[in-house]
Amino acid sequence: MRPPALLSTLRPALALVLGAATLAACSSGPVAQDAAGPAKLTVWIMKDSVSDGFLQRFEADFEAGHPGTTLDVQIQEWEGIGQKVTSALASKDAPDVIEVGNTQVAQYAASGGVHDLSDKAAELDGAHWIPGLADPGKVDGKQYGIPWYAANRVVIYRKDLFAQAGITTPPKTREEWIADTEKLNTGGTEGIYLAGQTWYVLAGFVWDEGGDLAVKGADGTWKGTLETPQAQAGIGFYQRLQALGKGPKDADEAKPPQAEVFAQGRTAQLISTPGGAGAILKANPELKDKLGFFPIPGKSADKPGAVFTGGSDLIVPESSRHQQAAYEVVKALGGDKWQTEMAKEMSYVPNRTTLAPALAGNEGAAAMAAGAVNGHATPNSPNWAAVEADNPIKQYMTRVLTGTDPATAGRSADAAVTKALSGN
């Protein structure tokens, strides 16, 4: 799933002959034999994932380290990408490397067209991968998607309004967060702006309670789980927090755009990716130097709140004619050097927790990285996209916030989620 408000182009470059024996020496584990003769590696990167400059530097560096290699990096639009990738995976001439949303991996792996890279996990330091990227990349115990970068929500707050309310440090627990938000609801200030259908935020609260949005049964079928006590506890906390602001109960954070609401100057907090600060400052430059960031608080001070990890994984199609060379591209993009450069330039969370220091000095990205250690992904069903299409979770939230019994609303939502996940 592509992280909102985050995420250019590289032009084709030089020429290559990569012998299969050379590639076998620099890659670990058995992978498909590369086609003989000159090869050009085709890499699909999504629009705005990284800057032109980053891609140009990566291309030059990779080709210098792999003499004769040609990288043809082609920029793809997010709109309509699902069908395009599905068609490519079914073809006999797929790209060699494809960037995909982390929650899309299961859907693509189900086609049988994605190469299993499980034997590469140790070499890529998979033990330290961010769970919200690594977990959806693994399907039926096989690692098809290699984590590339992540982004998750944090709390953006007004430092000046916190100070006026006597709050000297950001809250570390949910209850501290509620208490501080109540303090901020004075003198015409809105303690927090939280729209009623911000379902990724709700998901975090449900995960904190030990629940989920849907689970896979022993028989292999998926079913919604919003009627469970854990989900009811999660929506209960959401209801308490949402009531401390004036956000609409029947809309999400895009209607109206929450950054524009915050920019009006009367709101103390909102939940967004750090990139949301740019939209706020564009609408109201006077808020420059007044914005701060902290991880979404958890149930206890020793662990931040659970967050949805959006971002991208890298996959290698089965029909790639140069799988060994393709793996070298994945290895480089996921390695220390380019993960660190991407974190600094794009303010993304690197794919491994051990690289968090790369974000030092960037307050928003550092808060995001701190929260990423408790990152999660949506249920790893190949049909999850069907749930999001009509999204009964949003409807469930509005019903609860407007007075419907959570169990009753959850039962109805579960039926819709279960039907969507069944593929019917």
Side-chain angles (χ1 to χ4, degrees):
M1 168 81 52
R2 155 139 216 73
L6 291 172
L7 302 193
S8 287
T9 60
L10 173 76
R11 306 304 184 276
L14 307 157
L16 154 74
V17 177
L18 253 176
T22 302
L23 286 166
C26 60
S27 135
S28 68
V31 289
Q33 193 77 0
D34 281 19
K40 180 168 68 173
L41 302 182
T42 300
V43 181
W44 282 6
I45 298 294
M46 300 309 302
K47 184 178 180 180
D48 296 332
S49 281
V50 289
S51 68
D52 291 354
F54 175 91
L55 287 172
Q56 290 161 3
R57 294 193 304 275
F58 173 75
E59 175 190 20
D61 182 80
F62 186 85
E63 293 180 349
H66 301 76
T69 301
T70 296
L71 292 184
D72 177 10
V73 180
Q74 300 176 4
I75 303 305
Q76 306 297 318
E77 297 284 347
W78 282 102
E79 185 175 353
I81 192 60
Q83 184 57 54
K84 188 171 184 177
V85 172
T86 299
S87 297
L89 294 176
S91 74
K92 295 182 179 179
D93 188 27
D96 300 287
V97 178
I98 304 176
E99 174 195 351
V100 300
N102 58 324
T103 61
Q104 298 171 334
V105 177
Q107 172 188 349
Y108 299 142
S111 73
V114 182
H115 189 64
D116 177 12
L117 293 170
S118 300
D119 62 329
K120 304 300 182 185
E123 182 179 14
L124 298 173
D125 195 18
H128 294 109
W129 280 337
I130 291 174
L133 287 181
D135 292 349
K138 179 179 283 189
V139 182
D140 295 331
K142 297 179 179 180
Q143 194 74 47
Y144 294 101
I146 301 302
W148 191 22
Y149 65 84
N152 50 263
R153 288 163 175 77
V154 299
V155 181
I156 301 178
Y157 74 102
R158 286 277 301 275
K159 294 180 178 180
D160 55 332
L161 296 181
F162 268 55
Q164 291 172 22
I167 303 169
T168 57
T169 58
K172 292 289 185 67
T173 69
R174 279 187 183 182
E175 293 307 315
E176 290 176 358
W177 194 15
I178 291 288
D180 286 349
T181 304
E182 288 174 339
K183 290 180 183 177
L184 291 160
N185 261 330
T186 58
T189 297
E190 179 182 27
I192 188 169
Y193 181 85
L194 179 60
Q197 295 183 348
T198 311
W199 69 279
Y200 283 129
V201 174
L202 169 66
F205 299 158
V206 173
W207 291 325
D208 276 338
E209 299 292 346
D212 209 332
L213 306 177
V215 296
K216 187 177 184 180
D219 61 355
T221 62
W222 286 85
K223 65 176 182 178
T225 50
L226 292 169
E227 189 186 355
T228 62
Q230 295 88 347
Q232 291 182 52
I235 190 67
F237 181 76
Y238 190 101
Q239 192 167 22
R240 290 177 63 195
L241 187 64
Q242 202 269 342
L244 297 176
K246 300 176 182 178
K249 293 178 171 59
D250 59 351
D252 62 21
E253 62 269 38
K255 301 175 183 178
Q258 63 174 2
E260 294 181 9
V261 175
F262 192 94
Q264 293 172 13
R266 297 185 297 273
T267 303
Q269 304 172 90
L270 61 72
I271 300 171
S272 168
T273 59
I280 293 169
L281 294 177
K282 182 178 180 180
N284 186 356
E286 293 182 5
L287 294 180
K288 188 176 185 299
D289 301 325
K290 295 181 179 180
L291 302 182
F293 309 82
F294 61 86
I296 293 175
K299 297 186 72 173
S300 59
D302 61 341
K303 187 177 183 180
V307 290
F308 166 72
T309 302
S312 288
D313 284 9
L314 299 170
I315 63 172
V316 175
E318 284 284 20
S319 57
S320 163
R321 297 177 65 248
H322 308 286
Q323 285 184 357
Q324 297 184 60
Y327 168 68
E328 292 300 315
V329 174
V330 172
K331 180 180 177 181
L333 286 171
D336 287 4
K337 177 178 181 178
W338 293 102
Q339 283 290 301
T340 299
E341 287 215 15
M342 183 164 56
K344 290 180 177 179
E345 181 162 332
M346 305 303 297
S347 295
Y348 292 151
V349 176
N351 65 4
R352 302 193 297 287
T353 56
T354 49
L355 294 177
L359 298 171
N362 184 326
E363 185 181 355
M368 187 166 61
V373 301
N374 196 10
H376 296 250
T378 49
N380 202 14
S381 163
N383 293 324
W384 183 254
V387 176
E388 294 191 27
D390 193 38
N391 212 328
I393 302 170
K394 289 185 174 184
Q395 300 157 26
Y396 156 77
M397 295 173 73
T398 294
R399 291 186 68 196
V400 174
L401 293 177
T402 54
T404 301
D405 170 66
T408 301
R411 192 175 308 119
S412 175
D414 285 343
V417 170
T418 300
K419 181 178 180 180
L421 293 178
S422 73
N424 296 326

